[in-house]
Amino acid sequence: MDNPYVPPEAALTDASLQGRPGPTTTRPASATVFGVLNIVFGGIGLLSSLLVFSSMLLQQKQPPGENPINAIMMESLIYRIWWNASMGLSFVGSAVLLAAGIGLLMTRPWGRSFSVGYAWYMILMTFLGLVMNSIYLFGPLWTLYQNPPSPEAKFIIMVSLVSGVIGPVLGLIYPVLMLIFLNRPVVVRAYRKNDESMFLS
């Protein structure tokens, strides 16, 4: 006579043997948070890149003396190339960050890979940007600050120097936190397990 009582473990085993889908992988809370933030920051980054690019086109039509940063860019071909390249990379990076956020919320392994890759990219670009600004921007700005052409220009120079140093340092907080939380064993296991389950299915 068969035992009418079937333990829950046995029922799950029988269901899996019959080809029924098993329980989905639980998404860690930190992955959910960074998924949402990646989408928000990625969207803001795309919009900001378009606005900055548009403003630079307008500033290039102004006389160089009205904007000291624009004057420095016009005088330095290397810095102008770097600025244009970094703006293009920023647009692409924001698109990758947006896609990474969607992938994290969908518990896709590539979402975590894109997020970690973007974090390392941001750290590298931040330090590279500080080096380029220190060589081609901060020095000429400081020289111009000591003898500004106008009070308005002096204010722009002061704001540019302060934001040029503080901004990148603060910008490192998010990618560093993302590396810390998305490389935690619980997150790595969750996305790796989901990758294996997708492969086996």
Side-chain angles (χ1 to χ4, degrees):
M1 180 176 180
D2 296 334
N3 184 6
Y5 174 74
V6 180
E9 294 82 1
L12 289 175
T13 304
D14 292 339
S16 61
L17 291 176
Q18 294 173 10
R20 300 176 185 175
T24 57
T25 303
T26 302
R27 183 176 61 242
S30 58
T32 302
V33 172
F34 280 102
V36 174
L37 291 177
N38 284 358
I39 293 176
V40 173
F41 291 155
I44 294 176
L46 289 174
L47 181 60
S48 299
S49 298
L50 294 176
L51 293 177
V52 170
F53 181 74
S54 301
S55 65
M56 289 302 299
L57 290 179
L58 294 176
Q59 290 177 6
Q60 288 178 0
K61 299 179 181 180
Q62 300 176 357
E66 294 185 4
N67 191 328
I69 298 179
N70 189 31
I72 293 174
M73 290 182 61
M74 292 299 102
E75 295 175 359
S76 176
L77 176 62
I78 296 178
Y79 188 75
R80 189 162 66 249
I81 294 175
W82 156 254
W83 178 266
N84 293 330
S86 62
M87 285 296 99
L89 291 174
S90 177
F91 183 84
V92 175
S94 297
V96 171
L97 184 62
L98 178 62
I102 297 174
L104 284 177
L105 295 182
M106 296 174 63
T107 325
R108 295 293 185 265
W110 55 265
R112 178 185 168 274
S113 300
F114 280 15
S115 298
V116 172
Y118 174 84
W120 283 115
Y121 153 79
M122 276 301 300
I123 294 174
L124 176 63
M125 288 297 294
T126 298
F127 283 106
L128 185 58
L130 284 173
V131 171
M132 294 295 293
N133 287 336
S134 299
I135 296 174
Y136 296 101
L137 182 61
F138 295 158
L141 279 181
W142 179 250
T143 302
L144 192 60
Y145 179 80
Q146 296 174 341
N147 188 20
S150 65
E152 294 79 8
K154 185 174 184 178
F155 176 76
I156 294 176
I157 294 170
M158 180 184 65
V159 172
S160 301
L161 287 171
V162 174
S163 61
V165 176
I166 297 179
V169 173
L170 295 178
L172 286 174
I173 296 176
Y174 185 70
V176 169
L177 289 177
M178 189 155 53
L179 284 177
I180 293 174
F181 282 93
L182 295 188
N183 280 316
R184 294 173 61 192
V186 62
V187 177
V188 175
R189 284 196 303 266
Y191 283 84
R192 183 176 299 167
K193 181 178 180 181
N194 196 53
D195 187 20
E196 294 173 353
S197 63
M198 291 174 60
F199 178 77
L200 293 176
S201 60

